[in-house]
Amino acid sequence: MPAHDAAPRALRPDLRDALNRNHDRLAQPGCWLDGRQRLDVAAEARNAWDCPLCQVRKEALSPHAVSGDHVGLGRLPAPWVDVIHRLVTDPGRLSARWYHDAMDGGMVEDEIIEVISVTVQAVVIDCFTAAIGMDRPAPPEPAPGQPARKHAAEAKTGPGWAATIAPEDAQPDFADFYDNDSHFYIRRSLTLVPGETRRLWDLLNHLYLEDPRVFELDGLERDISRAQIEFLAARASALLGCYY
Amino acid sequence: MRLRVSGDQTGNEYDLGLVMGQETAASGLPHGDLMNDFVEAICARDGPRTAKSRQAIVDALGEGAMLDAAAVVAAFNAYPRMADATGIPLEDAKEAATAELREELGLAAFNQG
């Protein structure tokens, strides 16, 4: 049975299907990580909440004021663990220094982006299942195969500190990603790895709104109003200390 | 901010201070208190509080509303992380359009740059 078909409550079919796709894709080779690595990243994301270093850092005035080693699961290199743990437990205080430290530690930038994407997906799934009172589905078995590890040469650093594919530079097989004037920086943020960003947005579009420009809910079936949706969105962002 | 836009479109007035944790009772947002309790509980990873607030939404608004609210909160545990992990700035147009609002709500405190 698909993982989220066992949800204790009747999910919207499109959301249920998106969650099930996401569940399966987690264990498949990605663009830069293989299935085993992707599962390990997700597991480490869950472990991050129990890391003593992260707990102390979260309370410190600055994350750089606290030194030490993360307590990881022992499956991933230390720089990977730092990317994951900081992203999970203290995202509001991430910096270019954190990002570049990961590269100085040996991570390829494309790997960082896919790790960020998988980590975010793990956080999202955990958040949703906890919110609705569902046990998190058991992870699937890793699928065989190797990632292509093909770098998008058209990507350039910006608008933040990560390399991204600007809408005007998108190749024909990625141009549709920016359809409907969806040029917001958030949409562009993880496009260094186009295939992975599509997977992530397939999930997010069904959790939130595929096109936030719609007038109110514009025919979408939701049991809360647009105002309630936007309040939840803004409040969650504020609680995470997100400026954007 | 889209909450303000929604208000402009529907003719409703919302006190946007509720986004920053101010009192929800007089905010103008229907069931703002229930929504706020739910999102705070989820983001705090407080299991018992989440369960209680989940049931309160189900009782008041139905299961569909609770599922939709949960989905939005989950999504907005993603977008901020994506933004913060890559350091994306506000778009120029958005920055200009929200200058007064950001000052009013004190959002600059979140700008780690």
Side-chain angles (χ1 to χ4, degrees):
Chain A
M1 177 193 289
H4 289 87
D5 284 14
R9 307 172 191 266
L11 302 177
R12 258 187 287 127
D14 69 289
L15 176 57
R16 182 200 62 224
D17 293 345
L19 289 164
N20 285 338
R21 283 193 298 275
N22 177 264
H23 183 78
D24 292 341
R25 284 170 180 164
L26 184 63
Q28 293 166 2
C31 299
W32 284 78
L33 276 58
D34 65 29
R36 179 73 267 162
Q37 288 173 314
R38 290 167 62 85
L39 289 169
D40 288 344
V41 168
E44 194 62 67
R46 278 124 192 185
N47 178 60
W49 296 109
D50 296 328
C51 173
L53 175 65
C54 289
Q55 290 168 3
V56 172
R57 266 188 177 160
K58 181 74 175 167
E59 300 305 318
L61 276 177
S62 165
H64 303 295
V66 180
S67 58
D69 297 323
H70 293 284
V71 177
L73 295 172
R75 302 178 200 170
L76 295 169
W80 292 50
V81 174
D82 186 66
V83 168
I84 296 164
H85 281 211
R86 293 277 309 276
L87 179 60
V88 170
T89 65
D90 201 7
R93 299 195 296 177
L94 296 174
S95 63
R97 173 178 166 178
W98 160 81
Y99 193 79
H100 293 121
D101 281 349
M103 287 195 277
D104 291 344
M107 290 184 80
V108 175
E109 188 173 11
D110 313 72
E111 290 172 335
I112 296 173
I113 294 301
E114 187 158 336
V115 168
I116 289 170
S117 176
V118 174
T119 299
V120 160
Q121 288 168 60
V123 169
V124 164
I125 295 302
D126 289 359
C127 199
F128 183 68
T129 53
I132 70 168
M134 173 182 173
D135 289 335
R136 186 173 66 235
E141 287 299 307
Q146 291 302 312
R149 293 176 71 92
K150 182 171 178 287
H151 176 75
E154 64 274 26
K156 299 190 287 278
T157 299
W161 52 68
T164 65
I165 299 174
E168 60 270 21
D169 296 331
Q171 297 296 299
D173 63 349
F174 193 61
D176 67 294
F177 183 75
Y178 288 120
D179 279 351
N180 300 323
D181 295 326
S182 54
H183 295 187
F184 299 117
Y185 289 160
I186 190 65
R187 182 111 173 128
R188 185 170 154 182
S189 59
L190 302 182
T191 55
L192 174 62
V193 187
E196 180 58 28
T197 209
R198 281 192 190 276
R199 280 189 280 271
L200 173 59
W201 281 88
D202 178 46
L203 176 64
L204 297 179
N205 285 346
H206 293 279
L207 286 165
Y208 176 49
L209 300 168
E210 185 166 357
D211 186 354
R213 300 171 308 160
V214 297
F215 182 86
E216 285 304 284
L217 291 174
D218 207 16
L220 290 172
E221 276 192 35
R222 295 290 188 274
D223 288 351
I224 55 177
S225 69
R226 186 66 191 267
Q228 289 168 326
I229 287 173
E230 296 307 329
F231 165 69
L232 290 164
R235 187 76 181 115
S237 300
L239 287 167
L240 284 171
C242 180
Y243 177 74
Y244 181 85
Chain B
M1 179 180 288
R2 292 195 184 274
L3 178 57
R4 184 180 64 178
V5 170
S6 177
D8 289 343
Q9 290 175 337
T10 60
N12 295 311
E13 280 199 29
Y14 302 119
D15 179 356
L16 297 184
L18 61 88
V19 169
M20 298 302 288
Q22 293 172 22
E23 182 57 48
T24 53
S27 68
L29 183 75
H31 302 287
D33 53 342
L34 295 184
M35 297 285 159
N36 187 58
D37 204 39
F38 195 43
V39 63
E40 285 190 352
I42 295 167
C43 291
R45 303 179 75 244
D46 184 332
R49 186 181 174 192
T50 299
K52 191 174 167 191
S53 59
R54 173 172 63 239
Q55 192 59 50
I57 293 184
V58 170
D59 291 343
L61 296 169
E63 196 159 91
M66 181 277 294
L67 290 169
D68 287 339
V72 173
V73 175
F76 280 82
N77 268 262
Y79 299 122
R81 286 183 166 84
M82 293 155 66
D84 288 336
T86 54
I88 55 170
L90 275 183
E91 294 85 351
D92 290 343
K94 205 184 283 184
E95 185 151 12
T98 60
E100 188 181 323
L101 177 67
R102 283 182 286 109
E103 176 150 352
E104 181 188 327
L105 297 182
L107 298 185
F110 293 158
N111 186 6
Q112 300 297 319

